[in-house]
Amino acid sequence: MADNSFSDGVPSDALEAAKNASNTEKLTDQVMQNPQVLAALQERLDNVAHTPSSYIETLPKAVKRRINALKQLQVRCAHIEAKFYEEVHDLERKYAALYQPLFDKRREFITGDVEPTDAESEWHSENEEEDKLAGDVKNKVVIAEKEAATAEEPNPKGIPEFWFTIFRNVDMLSELVQEYDEPILKHLQDIKVKFSDPGQPMSFVLEFHFEPNDYFTNSVLTKTYKMKSEPDKADPFSFEGPEIVDCDGCAIDWKKGKNVTVKTIKKKQKHKGRGTVRTITKQVPNDSFFNFFSPLKASGDGESLDEDSEFTLASDFEIGHFFRERIVPRAVLYFTGEAIEDDDNFEEGEEGEEEELEGDEEGEDEDDADINPKVSCWGAAVSTDAMLLCCWVVSPPGVPVLL
């Protein structure tokens, strides 16, 4: 039988390899003669050659030395910026004291402890002239009916369910509220923000004031958010302003059988030896807004949180920031829904801008996926307390971007 593994003394696999190499060389020649392929390759090489990091690597040592000096200056700028934000915090504290008498009066009107005067109740609406003309016409026809209706109209004390209505209106809060939380939140009378004292570590406290109720004995529930305003030694260039780094809740003294943060379940257990079955009751955690006062602790000592915990902690920081910057200073506008409409309009504008830039940023998506910036809760916001444009950044140490 003839041996087909050799041809004229040359192994067949060597012949096959030579044939493939020849075909590859021909294909390469054909590709390299294609002007479109050459242009694409050149563009790719140009992009690689002109990245900032590759450019820096090509600079002489003397120039690199001067760049390092610029970075030293940038770090010093970051420390000055940190001092700026500390003074902004002091300014917020100063103006918070000026706002407080107005917020105290707001509470009195809400609870019905004080009735506003006619002058305090006067408000000029945008459609005031149209309303006045329409009212004049109607008054000529239905004045008698109007007087009768006014006499029968109910007059509840204060503004019922004021804060509870805000919780329902704001998506960020309504998502936390369960049906069994609602009767409790109807007893909420006020929410206050307290800033840390001068010379103390930067922080703020949210105070939730409740009237006497059937659920717990506390008159005030508190949530403390701890902040820092200093560049990270390991990454000073990431500094963008004060960060919320941790938070503490408070113990709720629930009345018997009223704790909505836990639920009782029944579970059957079988005895291994005798085979008998018994039913036991066990308390397990339950979804509730009032878990807000039992927050996760930010990881310390270099420990990392799991993904779910990171998301929960970042969301908590965002909610605390939202109470401080938006809900408490502008409560009546969130009650009426006017602030929510303003927020929606602003968000729509942002989306429109993103759509216009979408074509220019397609190539950046993959690069951005590897970036791990701090969680922001959120970017630049006008601080109603200090009446300044401030950038508040909230971030648990080491927490990746989640928003």
Side-chain angles (χ1 to χ4, degrees):
M1 180 180 292
D3 188 350
N4 296 326
S5 61
F6 288 82
S7 176
D8 297 332
V10 180
S12 60
D13 54 350
L15 290 172
E16 187 67 23
K19 183 179 178 181
N20 290 338
S22 176
N23 292 337
T24 301
E25 186 176 350
K26 291 179 180 178
L27 181 60
T28 302
D29 289 340
Q30 292 174 0
V31 169
M32 295 305 292
Q33 291 174 9
N34 188 323
Q36 293 180 338
V37 172
L38 289 174
L41 287 173
Q42 186 61 48
E43 183 180 358
R44 185 65 179 267
L45 289 171
D46 290 343
N47 289 337
V48 171
H50 290 88
T51 57
S53 58
S54 63
Y55 169 69
I56 297 300
E57 291 300 321
T58 64
L59 296 175
K61 289 184 178 180
V63 176
K64 291 181 181 178
R65 180 174 175 274
R66 294 165 196 142
I67 293 173
N68 289 338
L70 294 183
K71 289 184 176 180
Q72 289 276 10
L73 295 176
Q74 190 63 44
V75 171
R76 292 169 65 182
C77 287
H79 283 281
I80 292 175
E81 186 181 4
K83 293 295 183 183
F84 162 77
Y85 283 115
E86 288 178 5
E87 293 193 20
V88 168
H89 189 71
D90 292 338
L91 194 59
E92 282 192 304
R93 185 189 304 109
K94 171 186 173 181
Y95 276 86
L98 300 178
Y99 291 140
Q100 196 53 53
L102 302 178
F103 292 159
D104 290 341
K105 179 164 283 191
R106 177 178 72 184
R107 175 177 177 165
E108 292 174 343
F109 291 163
I110 291 170
T111 59
D113 293 340
V114 173
E115 188 67 27
T117 64
D118 290 342
E120 290 172 328
S121 303
E122 186 177 354
W123 183 257
H124 302 287
S125 66
E126 294 180 358
N127 300 322
E128 183 179 9
E129 293 300 325
E130 295 179 10
D131 293 343
K132 186 176 183 301
L133 291 173
D136 290 342
V137 174
K138 290 181 180 178
N139 285 339
K140 295 177 181 178
V141 181
V142 296
I143 188 168
E145 296 180 4
K146 185 176 179 181
E147 290 176 353
T150 302
E152 298 174 1
E153 189 177 66
N155 185 16
K157 185 178 180 181
I159 305 176
E161 302 178 4
F162 178 84
W163 292 100
F164 172 60
T165 301
I166 293 175
F167 271 73
R168 286 191 306 184
N169 289 345
V170 178
D171 290 342
M172 185 187 297
L173 303 181
S174 64
E175 291 172 355
L176 302 177
V177 177
Q178 308 299 319
E179 186 176 351
Y180 38 81
D181 292 327
E182 295 180 2
I184 311 175
L185 289 172
K186 290 178 181 179
H187 294 285
L188 181 59
Q189 293 186 314
D190 198 13
I191 303 177
K192 295 181 179 181
V193 179
K194 296 290 184 68
F195 293 94
S196 53
D197 293 329
Q200 297 297 315
M202 189 182 293
S203 66
F204 66 93
V205 180
L206 299 177
E207 294 182 351
F208 295 75
H209 293 252
F210 288 83
E211 66 182 351
N213 58 78
D214 297 331
Y215 298 91
F216 46 73
T217 59
N218 312 64
S219 60
V220 182
L221 301 180
T222 61
K223 184 76 169 283
T224 302
Y225 286 90
K226 302 175 183 178
M227 307 172 68
K228 74 170 185 177
S229 180
E230 60 185 55
D232 191 318
K233 293 180 180 179
D235 186 16
F237 303 134
S238 66
F239 180 73
E240 294 180 344
E243 300 171 353
I244 296 178
V245 294
D246 203 359
C247 57
D248 292 322
C250 68
I252 301 179
D253 300 321
W254 294 99
K255 295 182 180 180
K256 187 175 181 180
K258 298 294 185 177
N259 188 349
V260 295
T261 65
V262 296
K263 60 183 177 182
T264 302
I265 61 171
K266 292 183 178 181
K267 188 175 181 180
K268 292 184 178 181
Q269 288 184 339
K270 186 176 181 180
H271 194 279
K272 293 182 179 179
R274 297 192 296 270
T276 56
V277 178
R278 67 173 182 174
T279 301
I280 63 170
T281 58
K282 183 181 179 181
Q283 281 195 335
V284 296
N286 196 28
D287 290 337
S288 169
F289 164 75
F290 291 91
N291 290 323
F292 180 73
F293 300 98
S294 301
L296 283 173
K297 297 296 292 179
S299 60
D301 301 327
E303 298 178 0
S304 60
L305 298 171
D306 59 57
E307 187 175 345
D308 289 341
S309 298
E310 288 171 351
F311 180 82
T312 300
L313 195 60
S315 298
D316 189 313
F317 290 177
E318 182 180 5
I319 292 167
H321 176 84
F322 197 78
F323 269 117
R324 162 189 159 154
E325 290 294 318
R326 310 285 288 183
I327 298 294
V328 173
R330 309 178 69 200
V332 65
L333 302 181
Y334 282 96
F335 176 79
T336 62
E338 294 167 79
I340 298 169
E341 292 172 3
D342 291 344
D343 291 344
D344 289 342
N345 291 336
F346 179 72
E347 289 171 3
E348 287 173 6
E350 284 186 333
E351 289 173 3
E353 291 174 5
E354 288 176 1
E355 288 174 3
E356 291 177 8
L357 298 173
E358 186 176 351
D360 297 332
E361 298 180 351
E362 286 180 355
E364 300 176 6
D365 291 344
E366 294 182 2
D367 296 335
D368 292 344
D370 297 330
I371 298 174
N372 192 18
K374 294 180 179 179
V375 179
S376 177
C377 159
W378 154 99
V382 176
S383 170
T384 312
D385 294 335
M387 304 300 282
L388 292 172
L389 184 65
C390 303
C391 179
W392 295 108
V393 179
V394 297
S395 166
V399 176
V401 62
L402 298 169
L403 302 179

